[in-house]
Amino acid sequence: VWANTSPVVVHSFPASRYRSAKYVVQVRNSTLNAYEASEVLVIHNDTYAYRTQYNMISTLANAAALGNITVAISSGNVNLYYQGNSIGNQVRVRADMLGNSDNWSPY
């Protein structure tokens, strides 16, 4: 997904089916010839979505971020958004989600 300086949905899941997700987000900025990777945890309570981003690493000077990640619930979906600090960002996402009805069992 291409993401410039406006928020773009890079992944979405139905709130009625999944409660939480763990993402690996990879960004390539073709303009700056730079890369970024981070992990993001997302959870929702059927009304609001919450996220924490961690383990972010970037090839820019001082490991600066290429953009920002936000989440929100809209039309029954939990949306993960990416907004670049500049143009030319290509975003890839890998998601691992847990459903609302998954049994709680020890591993």
Side-chain angles (χ1 to χ4, degrees), residues 27 32-38 53-68 82 85:
V27 182
L32 300 172
N33 193 29
Y35 299 87
E36 171 186 299
S38 66
Q53 183 178 5
Y54 54 99
N55 294 334
M56 194 282 292
I57 188 166
S58 156
T59 61
L60 284 177
N62 298 319
L66 294 173
N68 299 301
Y82 192 87
N85 294 333

Side-chain angles (χ1 to χ4, degrees), residues 78-97:
V78 177
N79 296 323
L80 182 76
Y81 297 89
Y82 192 87
Q83 179 176 359
N85 294 333
S86 64
I87 63 169
N89 298 293
Q90 187 174 17
V91 183
R92 290 198 230 172
V93 175
R94 176 171 289 158
D96 185 14
M97 297 174 285

Side-chain angles (χ1 to χ4, degrees), residues 2-107:
W2 287 97
N4 291 312
T5 57
S6 296
V8 174
V9 175
V10 294
H11 192 264
S12 184
F13 64 85
S16 62
R17 183 165 181 195
Y18 298 104
R19 179 64 56 196
S20 62
K22 179 180 179 179
Y23 292 97
V24 175
V25 179
Q26 178 181 289
V27 182
R28 173 184 172 258
N29 184 290
S30 58
T31 305
L32 300 172
N33 193 29
Y35 299 87
E36 171 186 299
S38 66
E39 294 178 291
V40 180
L41 285 177
V42 173
I43 195 163
H44 71 89
N45 63 5
D46 297 320
T47 305
Y48 298 103
Y50 305 88
R51 67 106 181 128
T52 187
Q53 183 178 5
Y54 54 99
N55 294 334
M56 194 282 292
I57 188 166
S58 156
T59 61
L60 284 177
N62 298 319
L66 294 173
N68 299 301
I69 295 172
T70 56
V71 294
I73 293 182
S74 178
S75 300
N77 292 315
V78 177
N79 296 323
L80 182 76
Y81 297 89
Y82 192 87
Q83 179 176 359
N85 294 333
S86 64
I87 63 169
N89 298 293
Q90 187 174 17
V91 183
R92 290 198 230 172
V93 175
R94 176 171 289 158
D96 185 14
M97 297 174 285
L98 288 175
N100 289 334
S101 61
D102 289 349
N103 292 328
W104 292 96
S105 59
Y107 292 98

